[in-house]
Amino acid sequence: MGCKNCKKNPVISRRYSGEVLCKSCFFKSFERNAQKELRRQINLLIKNSDIKIKKIGIGLSGGKDSTVALHILKSYVGKRNIQIIGLSVDEGIPNYRSKSLDCASLECDKLDIELKIFSYKELIGITLGDLLIEKPPQGSPCSPCGILRRRSLNQMANRSNVDCLILGHNLDDFAQTVLMNHARGDIARLTRMAPHKFVQKGFIPRLLPLRRLPEQEIYLYSILKEMKFHDGDCPHAGEAQRNTFRYILMELEKKQPGTRHSLVNGMEKIRENISKPDDLTPCPKCGEPSGSSEPCVFCREFASFGA
Ligand code: SF4
Ligand code: ZN
């Protein structure tokens, strides 16, 4: 079967939509999807919070998702008078992160974009590798790592004076998080998920242009576009709690193509009925925005490391 538009040889068959596309039609469709999502998210933020977008930060890991997001952002900005800055977090994971940060740095050089790197060592005085030895987590290493990454990115984004922060989360990541929050009955967290529609004091809103594009398509796009990215997993990736949800979703998607998109659409419907999330309050210890008046999870968990 040829491409549905031009009958050329196909590079992809999308089970969730039934489309078969050749390389150039795939590029067009992929870029249209990501650009539309980015434009919509930025416009909502401008409308709801009455802000001007002058500088945009992008979280860069050097992996395929954030590398593709960077190219999408670069072409969105085009001739607009908006500055882009790359923000990377170095967790201090031996034999992994430095290789991927080299890729992020190369890509930024190529596109003439400034890149700032912030490490867990700077944040709490210790690398993730050493932290896991000194304070072994009860569950997966991804729990402390996630808390530290959110914190690092928000601090970097605030210090860099960006108006919003782009992240490369793909459809699979996003649908897994929606499902995880549902499974835990954590509707409050579901409503607080990015993409953020409002600016909250001290918290830089996060936008996700790739959230409707499956991971496999992002991989295909980056390969066909010959992008340079780091194609390796963190050594702790196998321990992440979300792997169970990844497996369940893959099975669901096989039996019922389109499940991931339905989860995204369902979440949007829930959020449409919520006018504005509760304001975040500053943590009484560190002042960073937090969901309660108690010390934030960072202060509770990492105070002993000089936080
Ligand atoms: Fe951190 Fe887990 Fe991601 Fe590794 S897989 S970088 S430990 S969150
Ligand atoms: Zn705190």
Side-chain angles (χ1 to χ4, degrees):
M1 203 199 307
C3 169
K4 80 165 176 114
N5 298 328
C6 63
K7 309 288 176 248
K8 282 195 201 132
N9 281 344
V11 293
I12 185 168
S13 167
R14 287 174 166 157
R15 284 191 72 216
Y16 61 86
S17 67
E19 290 165 297
V20 174
L21 298 170
C22 71
K23 188 163 138 182
S24 74
C25 291
F26 168 60
F27 284 167
K28 269 188 220 147
S29 157
F30 184 100
E31 286 158 11
R32 207 183 306 124
N33 183 312
Q35 290 296 347
K36 183 174 161 199
E37 196 60 37
L38 182 56
R39 211 172 36 245
R40 212 174 58 87
Q41 292 176 22
I42 288 184
N43 288 344
L44 253 178
L45 199 60
I46 294 174
K47 185 173 137 222
N48 288 337
S49 298
D50 196 21
I51 54 165
K52 285 208 166 62
I53 303 285
K54 291 187 261 37
K55 191 171 181 186
I56 300 182
I58 174 161
L60 292 174
S61 66
K64 63 181 184 328
D65 300 313
S66 58
T67 306
V68 168
L70 177 65
H71 284 263
I72 294 292
L73 175 62
K74 179 85 181 164
S75 93
Y76 167 84
V77 165
K79 293 197 176 66
R80 291 178 169 99
N81 190 17
I82 297 176
Q83 203 185 332
I84 301 176
I85 180 166
L87 304 172
S88 292
V89 177
D90 182 357
E91 300 93 344
I93 301 172
N95 297 323
Y96 169 64
R97 187 53 85 206
S98 58
K99 289 183 206 155
S100 73
L101 290 182
D102 286 347
C103 290
S105 165
L106 272 174
E107 209 58 27
C108 282
D109 282 351
K110 211 162 81 189
L111 298 176
D112 200 17
I113 287 171
E114 182 192 354
L115 176 69
K116 274 196 183 156
I117 301 176
F118 192 59
S119 67
Y120 287 180
K121 185 135 179 123
E122 285 169 78
L123 183 71
I124 53 164
I126 188 169
T127 63
L128 185 71
D130 291 339
L131 177 75
L132 297 178
I133 297 167
E134 277 201 30
K135 191 178 188 277
Q138 285 183 341
S140 137
C142 302
S143 308
C145 186
I147 297 167
L148 296 174
R149 176 170 318 98
R150 264 193 301 282
R151 175 89 165 197
S152 305
L153 277 171
N154 196 51
Q155 286 197 353
M156 276 200 289
N158 263 317
R159 286 178 197 164
S160 308
N161 287 319
V162 303
D163 300 297
C164 59
L165 178 64
I166 306 291
L167 298 177
H169 297 185
N170 59 51
L171 174 66
D172 297 69
D173 300 327
F174 193 79
Q176 283 156 21
T177 310
V178 172
L179 195 61
M180 276 162 75
N181 286 333
H182 272 299
R184 291 172 183 155
D186 198 343
I187 301 304
R189 189 173 284 211
L190 195 71
T191 61
R192 285 202 306 264
M193 277 175 69
H196 299 119
K197 299 178 185 173
F198 295 91
V199 176
Q200 299 244 39
K201 199 166 182 309
F203 184 76
I204 303 295
R206 296 164 181 212
L207 307 180
L208 314 176
L210 307 181
R211 72 165 176 159
R212 288 181 192 273
L213 289 159
E215 179 172 15
Q216 275 190 329
E217 287 190 29
I218 294 172
Y219 192 68
L220 180 65
Y221 183 84
S222 58
I223 297 280
L224 293 175
K225 285 273 178 184
E226 297 179 9
M227 288 177 186
K228 178 133 182 53
F229 61 91
H230 182 247
D231 193 8
D233 281 333
C234 166
H236 303 297
E239 299 164 66
Q241 280 172 353
R242 67 169 52 235
N243 288 339
T244 311
F245 292 90
R246 185 191 311 277
Y247 175 76
I248 292 170
L249 254 182
M250 264 166 49
E251 290 299 305
L252 278 170
E253 188 73 33
K254 256 192 247 160
K255 294 199 168 85
Q256 203 175 308
T259 299
R260 291 166 301 178
H261 287 89
S262 302
L263 278 165
V264 178
N265 295 337
M267 189 209 70
E268 276 307 311
K269 281 190 191 126
I270 294 175
R271 298 212 311 178
E272 272 162 22
N273 292 313
I274 296 168
S275 47
K276 189 177 182 233
D278 292 342
D279 281 339
L280 294 170
T281 42
C283 161
K285 276 190 147 178
C286 68
E288 282 280 313
S290 149
S292 90
S293 52
E294 301 291 314
C296 69
V297 63
F298 178 84
C299 287
R300 292 196 313 267
E301 298 279 325
F302 301 103
S304 56
F305 291 95

